[in-house]
Amino acid sequence: MKRSTYSLILMDDVVAAIDLLAEEQGTSRSNYINQILAEHVQCITPEQRMQRLFSCLSRQMNASLRVQEQGSDAMLSILGAVQYKYRPTIRYRVELLRDLRKEEIGQLQISCRTQSQTLLQAMDCFFQFWEKLECAYYPESACGQGLYQIQNGRMKQALLRHGVSEEEDLGNAVGNYICMLHAVLQSYFTGLQQQLPAPILYHTLEQQYRSIQKNWTRML
């Protein structure tokens, strides 16, 4: 939605109360007033669309994933623990664009907070394998379209709507995708700890990927 600057004459006491509430909500004065007015005239704001999406995304998380508030309407982080000798924590950061009506609605970044080069190289190997899976089984995905980057143990990829119109459905799709990716990543680390030969490990991961794909409707 387009934004413009308007002049309003308000009572100082009203502004003080607005500022207090805006601070509690972690937002600005202008944004909070915009939300109040939008609700009053029954107009859906971009922030409300994001909140709907994130609410549905959060409900998809399982016991191995927890949501971390970012203090931003457009960003949400999910932390996932994996069992491995370095005991790394994986961060899935979803960052949305203000206009959720476009084909690309935002970006997903997967990273691991570590200084271990061995672990970073292992993450890169997994991401390269994941990209091959996505290209082979779902060429319409962001990876299949080349809308991704892999570098130094991190992966960034676009989030695409593929015709999905409702924020709730998009949130479910993003949540399911993160859960799927994390499950396969956990199996990858388990295989590394068990020192499985690479062909056996990657075959097992591919079978897991295909099995999960059958159990939910892919939208991203």
Side-chain angles (χ1 to χ4, degrees):
M1 292 182 180
K2 182 180 177 181
R3 291 196 172 197
S4 301
T5 301
Y6 298 93
S7 296
L8 295 174
I9 300 176
L10 303 173
M11 294 174 56
D12 291 342
D13 290 346
V14 172
V15 174
I18 289 292
D19 287 345
L20 181 62
L21 292 172
E23 183 178 358
E24 292 176 355
Q25 295 293 321
T27 189
S28 66
R29 174 195 295 170
S30 296
N31 190 51
Y32 191 71
I33 292 175
N34 189 69
Q35 292 180 29
I36 293 174
L37 295 176
E39 183 177 350
H40 185 74
V41 300
Q42 298 182 338
C43 179
I44 300 176
T45 66
E47 289 76 18
Q48 288 172 324
R49 295 184 187 277
M50 293 178 189
Q51 186 177 20
R52 288 180 182 179
L53 192 155
F54 282 146
S55 294
C56 291
L57 187 162
S58 299
R59 287 196 291 270
Q60 300 302 313
M61 297 300 100
N62 53 40
S64 63
L65 295 163
R66 64 181 178 86
V67 175
Q68 182 182 55
E69 297 296 336
Q70 293 292 130
S72 169
D73 293 318
M75 190 180 301
L76 188 73
S77 287
I78 296 113
L79 303 180
V82 291
Q83 298 300 317
Y84 191 58
K85 56 185 176 181
Y86 298 105
R87 301 193 65 81
T89 296
I90 311 299
R91 180 186 298 274
Y92 301 89
R93 189 176 74 180
V94 179
E95 189 169 356
L96 300 177
L97 299 174
R98 279 186 58 80
D99 190 352
L100 294 179
R101 294 168 295 184
K102 296 181 179 179
E103 175 60 19
E104 183 175 339
I105 64 170
Q107 185 182 81
L108 171 65
Q109 178 176 305
I110 308 103
S111 62
C112 180
R113 298 177 64 179
T114 180
Q115 298 298 319
S116 168
Q117 288 301 311
T118 300
L119 181 54
L120 292 175
Q121 290 172 6
M123 292 290 292
D124 279 345
C125 289
F126 174 80
F127 290 142
Q128 290 162 8
F129 172 71
W130 183 263
E131 179 268 332
K132 291 179 181 178
L133 282 180
E134 291 280 85
C135 288
Y137 290 97
Y138 199 68
E140 297 86 358
S141 68
C143 289
Q145 297 184 47
L147 303 175
Y148 72 97
Q149 294 178 345
I150 299 173
Q151 185 177 19
N152 197 29
R154 296 188 176 198
M155 181 173 181
K156 296 180 182 179
Q157 66 175 84
L159 294 173
L160 307 175
R161 69 164 52 251
H162 289 307
V164 180
S165 58
E166 298 298 327
E167 289 79 24
E168 291 83 358
D169 293 333
L170 286 169
N172 290 335
V174 176
N176 283 330
Y177 183 80
I178 291 173
C179 288
M180 176 180 70
L181 197 158
H182 189 71
V184 178
L185 180 61
Q186 175 62 79
S187 297
Y188 170 73
F189 279 122
T190 299
L192 291 182
Q193 281 211 140
Q194 295 173 349
Q195 298 183 333
L196 291 179
I200 296 177
L201 174 58
Y202 289 132
H203 176 73
T204 301
L205 297 179
E206 182 174 358
Q207 295 302 309
Q208 181 183 15
Y209 174 90
R210 293 178 60 185
S211 176
I212 296 175
Q213 287 273 28
K214 292 179 181 178
N215 294 327
W216 60 284
T217 301
R218 183 69 182 263
M219 293 182 181
L220 297 173

